[in-house]
Amino acid sequence: MDFLKGLGKGDKNKGKKNNQNPLDHIGRALGGGGGGGHRKFQGSGKSLGGSKPGKVVHIVLGQPGSLGVKVEKSPRGTAIVALVVEQSQAESAGLIRGDIVCHTDTNGQEEMEFDLFLALAKSPERPFVFDIRRIETKAANLSDRKTAESQNRKQAMIAAAEAREKAAKARTKPVKTYIKKDNQAIIDLNAAIPSAPQSEAAKRAVAAAKSGEAKLADELGYNPFETNKSTAGQARNATVATHHGAINAGAPTPLPAVSKPKEATTAAPDVPMGDAFLDAYTTAVTTNEHQMVVQSFSIMRKLLTNATTKGQNNSDPVGAAKFRRVRLSNAKIKSAITDTHGALDMMMSCGFQLTEEDGECFLMFPSSNTGPVWLASALKQMEQYEAS
């Protein structure tokens, strides 16, 4: 390529220190255009209803040799970081997977072309100076099997939803809580009164109550006033004893003759679950609190069941569509799916698709689709975890 011929030639300003990228002439060659040079920043553009989201970080790679970074080409033809080699200068500079490579002095709004980045990276001239735009979300827990482009797209949609929710909370005026001074005075007064010694009548009443408790405990075989952990079977036995009395364990009553039961058929084996679902499931149960996972699984099972049953009712298309659509900004859904690591990936591995309508994020399940063949196994796995 003609624009690379001048890479090895000497530079009149060699040895002078400046903040200019010494490879700008390559950018002019690849960037094209009658004016030459870097393309000027012409505006913030539109992405999810406004400027492109993300945090802009300035990157300087000054060491000769390999950069220690691998990029992939996005559908727009721009460069996105796909892999960062450990203990490389790219890692030392702070690059991570999913960073969007941008031109300097554009506030992260002008993305760098994939071919241009490769040319600059292969050039021996250093330093290599550029900006990156990084989208950070609370729910960023995506599988390494996905491409950096799909990871970046999902993070951008979630970040937009979080930003809208934060702005809505800021506009909401908090409700003030008032404490009545009279009630507070009564509480303080009661707290200041010392406990008086019990009278003889009170002592006799306490002794009689304890005697009654002991007698009831002897009749039941356990102390109902003592807090104990029990299984469901033990609780049922206690209820029967309380309401119906103890079961008479005298002479056994002969059982009536019954016919031999039919041999039970062997249950069909569970269909192996998909790798994407298993990866997301492992992430969910290992990176979240147990109770949070139980609540999340309960809600997800209901959403998946509705989407694959009621959501496929062809006789009522309008009503069925409601069961295939999940609003991520809903507080209950946000807690169970968006804020629970791995939950969003579990839903998407089962058939839900992340979309945006009127500036709001949704999970949509396709019509005429009952989910993957292993969906029943996945729902069973989630239900078993809830019962654990």
Side-chain angles (χ1 to χ4, degrees):
M1 299 174 69
D2 295 338
F3 64 88
L4 293 176
K5 291 182 179 180
L7 289 179
K9 296 181 181 180
D11 190 347
K12 294 181 180 181
N13 297 325
K14 186 175 183 181
K16 296 182 179 180
K17 295 183 178 179
N18 55 65
N19 294 326
Q20 297 290 333
N21 191 336
L23 305 179
D24 279 346
H25 57 286
I26 299 180
R28 288 191 291 271
L30 282 178
H38 276 303
R39 291 180 294 174
K40 294 183 179 179
F41 176 49
Q42 300 295 338
S44 62
K46 296 290 182 180
S47 176
L48 295 177
S51 298
K52 297 179 181 179
K55 171 185 177 183
V56 179
V57 180
H58 189 64
I59 301 296
V60 178
L61 303 178
Q63 300 179 12
S66 174
L67 302 179
V69 63
K70 179 181 178 181
V71 296
E72 68 178 38
K73 190 174 184 179
S74 73
R76 301 180 300 278
T78 57
I80 296 180
V81 177
L83 175 68
V84 178
V85 179
E86 294 183 359
Q87 299 181 353
S88 64
Q89 62 171 322
E91 184 183 48
S92 300
L95 284 174
I96 62 174
R97 172 182 167 86
D99 287 345
I100 305 171
V101 182
C102 303
H103 291 287
T104 56
D105 302 326
T106 65
N107 195 29
Q109 303 298 310
E110 187 75 9
E111 300 177 11
M112 184 179 294
E113 296 82 355
F114 177 78
D115 295 335
L116 172 59
F117 181 89
L118 290 185
L120 297 176
K122 293 178 181 179
S123 170
E125 298 188 33
R126 293 291 184 271
F128 183 9
V129 182
F130 57 93
D131 288 346
I132 60 99
R133 189 172 75 249
R134 180 175 301 158
I135 300 174
E136 299 176 336
T137 66
K138 297 178 181 178
N141 184 45
L142 308 177
S143 172
D144 290 339
R145 299 189 179 195
K146 293 181 172 61
T147 64
E149 166 66 15
S150 63
Q151 169 181 327
N152 174 263
R153 184 166 56 253
K154 181 186 292 186
Q155 285 180 319
M157 297 182 73
I158 296 176
E162 292 176 350
R164 286 191 293 272
E165 180 184 6
K166 183 178 181 180
K169 289 183 178 179
R171 293 192 298 268
T172 303
K173 186 178 180 180
V175 179
K176 295 183 179 180
T177 303
Y178 296 94
I179 301 176
K180 294 182 178 180
K181 294 183 178 180
D182 295 340
N183 292 345
Q184 188 66 33
I186 294 173
I187 294 174
D188 295 339
L189 180 61
N190 291 338
I193 298 176
S195 57
Q198 291 183 340
S199 63
E200 292 298 326
K203 290 180 180 180
R204 287 194 297 271
V206 171
K210 290 183 177 180
S211 177
E213 291 177 4
K215 183 178 180 180
L216 179 60
D218 291 339
E219 294 176 355
L220 297 178
Y222 71 97
N223 188 356
F225 306 100
E226 182 180 359
T227 303
N228 286 319
K229 293 183 179 179
S230 62
T231 63
Q234 292 171 339
R236 285 193 296 271
N237 293 339
T239 303
V240 171
T242 303
H243 294 281
H244 305 288
I247 298 175
N248 185 7
T253 304
L255 297 175
V258 294
S259 59
K260 182 179 180 181
K262 297 181 180 180
E263 294 184 0
T265 57
T266 304
D270 293 338
V271 179
M273 290 166 279
D275 291 339
F277 176 84
L278 290 176
D279 289 344
Y281 176 88
T282 303
T283 300
V285 300
T286 57
T287 61
N288 302 286
E289 295 183 358
H290 175 75
Q291 189 59 32
M292 186 178 186
V293 177
V294 169
Q295 295 176 354
S296 175
F297 281 8
S298 176
I299 292 176
M300 285 196 294
R301 282 197 305 109
K302 184 176 181 180
L303 293 175
L304 287 167
T305 302
N306 287 342
T308 54
T309 54
K310 298 178 182 179
Q312 307 302 323
N313 185 6
N314 296 328
S315 61
D316 183 16
V318 177
K322 296 179 181 180
F323 292 102
R324 301 196 308 269
R325 173 177 170 145
V326 180
R327 187 191 303 271
L328 293 179
S329 60
N330 179 279
K332 191 173 182 179
I333 298 299
K334 180 178 181 298
S335 175
I337 298 178
T338 307
D339 293 345
T340 303
H341 296 304
L344 184 61
D345 286 332
M346 288 176 64
M347 294 287 284
M348 296 182 68
S349 68
C350 292
F352 275 98
Q353 299 171 359
L354 189 62
T355 61
E356 182 184 15
E357 296 179 8
D358 299 328
E360 191 168 5
C361 292
F362 294 87
L363 280 176
M364 299 292 294
F365 198 88
S367 59
S368 302
N369 188 342
T370 56
V373 293
W374 44 262
L375 180 60
S377 300
L379 294 175
K380 180 179 178 182
Q381 180 79 7
M382 296 163 66
E383 186 176 9
Q384 290 176 346
Y385 183 88
E386 294 176 48
S388 62

